[in-house]
Amino acid sequence: MDKISIIVPCFNEEKVLPLFYKEINMVIKHLEKVEFEIIFVDDGSRDRTLEIIKDYSSKNSKFRYISFSRNFGKEAAMYAGLKESIGDYVAIMDADLQDPPKLLIEMYDIVSNSDYDCVATRRVTRSGEPPIRSFFARLFYKLINKISKADIVDGARDFRLMTRQMADSVLSIQEYNRFSKGIFGWIGFKTKWLEYENIERAAGETKWSFWKLFLYSIEGIVAFSTFPLVLPFIFSFIFFVLFLVFLIWGLLISSGTFIVSSFVLISTCVILALLGVMSLYLSKTYTEIKNRPIYIIREESKRRGNKK
Ligand code: UDP
Ligand code: MG
């Protein structure tokens, strides 16, 4: 009998958890030939999330929970869930029903009856999202795929069902600055993409502000591309050419102070910006080298069973 582990990162999800519980139980009933293990990861919630998932775990032996000592972020929650999971297949799913649990039935059917290692989802519309946000999101995907080796799919959600082998490969990447969309692209394997229209969250609020998303995209670029580190060379070449032009110009015509000073200003700007790029990589190297744990568990339910 196959076992599916479902990992559900939860950060302040008290409003939506009862709805999720109902939906997921319907899926469990439908797939009666499959064993289930649902792992809620409470990512330092400040509402009644922990209380609720504790209640589910005590009522139903299929449900377990891990609770962090503080908010470590969704990436850390997914990693913790993967680490705790023992299923032959592992799914990652949001609590807010934006990842329709029913889709799991189709996903399991594909993964268990084909050569695919993973069934992942991507949304084809960005309806219900501010246009400016969609614009920057598209720009980000175009850019990162140009400058990185990892294949990062536009609109990909974290919602996916994968084999144990693939889950273990994700776990073998132990970097602190995690960017899952890149990690999945980087490890490879055969992935089937299911597409669906964007669904709005069933209750509660999104935890992503524009600023948070912006920082996350920088994280993605720094984690999966070193191209920005080459920029200083490119700019030094451009400035060298400009220098020659200005020099010849200055020699031919009497020098223009205005042109020279603006040139000094712009070159200072560029140098500072490039210094910023260096600092970005340095800071990431610094956090990696400290080798701190990705998350800290404050309490968890007892583990049932072991990996096969
Ligand atoms: N989440 C988390 N830690 C965080 C932020 C979010 O575990 O710091 C969880 C959240 O509870 C939800 C999922 O990650 O299950 C997706 O979050 P959200 O719905 O806020 O993001 P969106 O769907 O708007 O991108
Ligand atoms: Mg959501």
Side-chain angles (χ1 to χ4, degrees), residues 3 37 64 86 303-307:
K3 183 171 194 149
E37 160 190 64
R64 287 170 46 202
I86 57 171
R303 179 187 285 239
R304 302 177 186 97
N306 281 310
K307 266 184 212 175

Side-chain angles (χ1 to χ4, degrees), residues 132 143 195 210 218 236 267 269:
I132 180 113
L143 178 73
E195 296 183 347
F210 184 81
I218 301 269
S236 75
S267 56
C269 259

Side-chain angles (χ1 to χ4, degrees), residues 90-144:
V90 187
I92 299 172
M93 197 186 279
D94 285 1
D96 61 7
L97 301 179
Q98 276 190 300
D99 301 333
K102 268 182 279 181
L103 212 57
L104 206 63
I105 299 166
E106 189 184 341
M107 289 163 114
Y108 175 67
D109 187 46
I110 296 170
V111 153
S112 57
N113 293 313
S114 73
D115 191 29
Y116 285 110
D117 304 292
C118 175
V119 180
T121 55
R122 62 183 286 256
R123 50 176 189 176
V124 280
T125 53
R126 289 181 170 271
S127 60
E129 195 180 71
I132 180 113
R133 190 153 148 178
S134 312
F135 171 78
F136 278 107
R138 294 237 157 77
L139 195 71
F140 166 72
Y141 284 109
K142 272 209 188 99
L143 178 73
I144 194 154

Side-chain angles (χ1 to χ4, degrees), residues 11-270:
F11 179 49
N12 297 341
E13 299 289 10
E14 62 175 11
K15 281 202 188 118
V16 88
L17 276 170
L19 302 171
F20 178 83
Y21 188 69
K22 225 170 93 191
E23 286 268 326
I24 204 71
N25 273 311
M26 265 153 55
V27 174
I28 293 174
K29 248 192 217 128
H30 189 96
L31 288 172
E32 51 192 4
K33 290 212 178 78
V34 180
E35 239 183 285
F36 275 94
E37 160 190 64
I38 289 87
I39 306 172
F40 289 109
V41 185
D42 165 38
D43 184 13
S45 300
R46 287 181 280 271
D47 63 359
R48 288 181 48 250
T49 297
L50 179 58
E51 199 184 308
I52 296 169
I53 57 181
K54 266 180 161 171
D55 177 49
Y56 295 158
S57 312
S58 64
K59 279 201 300 223
N60 190 331
S61 65
K62 291 187 173 73
F63 290 77
R64 287 170 46 202
Y65 71 89
I66 304 170
S67 180
F68 287 173
S69 59
R70 64 168 170 88
N71 179 249
F72 279 87
K74 187 184 177 187
E75 289 288 345
M78 292 193 289
Y79 182 77
L82 281 174
K83 216 165 166 185
E84 291 291 318
S85 69
I86 57 171
D88 309 291
Y89 296 98
V90 187
I92 299 172
M93 197 186 279
D94 285 1
D96 61 7
L97 301 179
Q98 276 190 300
D99 301 333
K102 268 182 279 181
L103 212 57
L104 206 63
I105 299 166
E106 189 184 341
M107 289 163 114
Y108 175 67
D109 187 46
I110 296 170
V111 153
S112 57
N113 293 313
S114 73
D115 191 29
Y116 285 110
D117 304 292
C118 175
V119 180
T121 55
R122 62 183 286 256
R123 50 176 189 176
V124 280
T125 53
R126 289 181 170 271
S127 60
E129 195 180 71
I132 180 113
R133 190 153 148 178
S134 312
F135 171 78
F136 278 107
R138 294 237 157 77
L139 195 71
F140 166 72
Y141 284 109
K142 272 209 188 99
L143 178 73
I144 194 154
N145 279 312
K146 276 242 159 65
I147 62 176
S148 141
K149 283 200 188 81
D151 176 25
I152 296 166
V153 178
D154 186 1
R157 297 192 54 86
D158 293 322
F159 183 27
R160 52 173 75 225
L161 178 70
M162 64 198 123
T163 58
R164 179 82 249 161
Q165 185 192 19
M166 190 158 164
D168 285 342
S169 307
V170 173
L171 285 170
S172 73
I173 298 186
Q174 289 174 356
E175 56 202 39
Y176 182 83
N177 299 291
R178 303 186 76 76
F179 184 70
S180 282
K181 288 178 179 45
I183 291 175
F184 282 118
W186 191 89
I187 59 171
F189 290 97
K190 282 191 181 166
T191 299
K192 164 134 183 118
W193 290 94
L194 297 182
E195 296 183 347
Y196 62 91
E197 305 259 312
N198 191 30
I199 302 166
E200 296 203 19
R201 146 193 275 286
E205 271 150 34
T206 176
K207 276 85 201 174
W208 293 92
S209 62
F210 184 81
W211 180 240
K212 257 185 155 176
L213 273 177
F214 176 73
L215 292 180
Y216 186 56
S217 65
I218 301 269
E219 198 123 306
I221 291 173
V222 174
F224 282 92
S225 170
T226 46
F227 175 76
L229 286 173
V230 184
L231 287 176
F233 290 110
I234 298 174
F235 277 94
S236 75
F237 177 74
I238 295 171
F239 275 81
F240 185 71
V241 173
L242 279 178
F243 160 74
L244 288 180
V245 172
F246 273 66
L247 186 69
I248 295 164
W249 192 4
L251 289 175
L252 290 179
I253 319 160
S254 56
S255 68
T257 330
F258 183 72
I259 294 173
V260 175
S261 53
S262 63
F263 181 67
V264 169
L265 271 177
I266 188 69
S267 56
T268 314
C269 259
V270 172

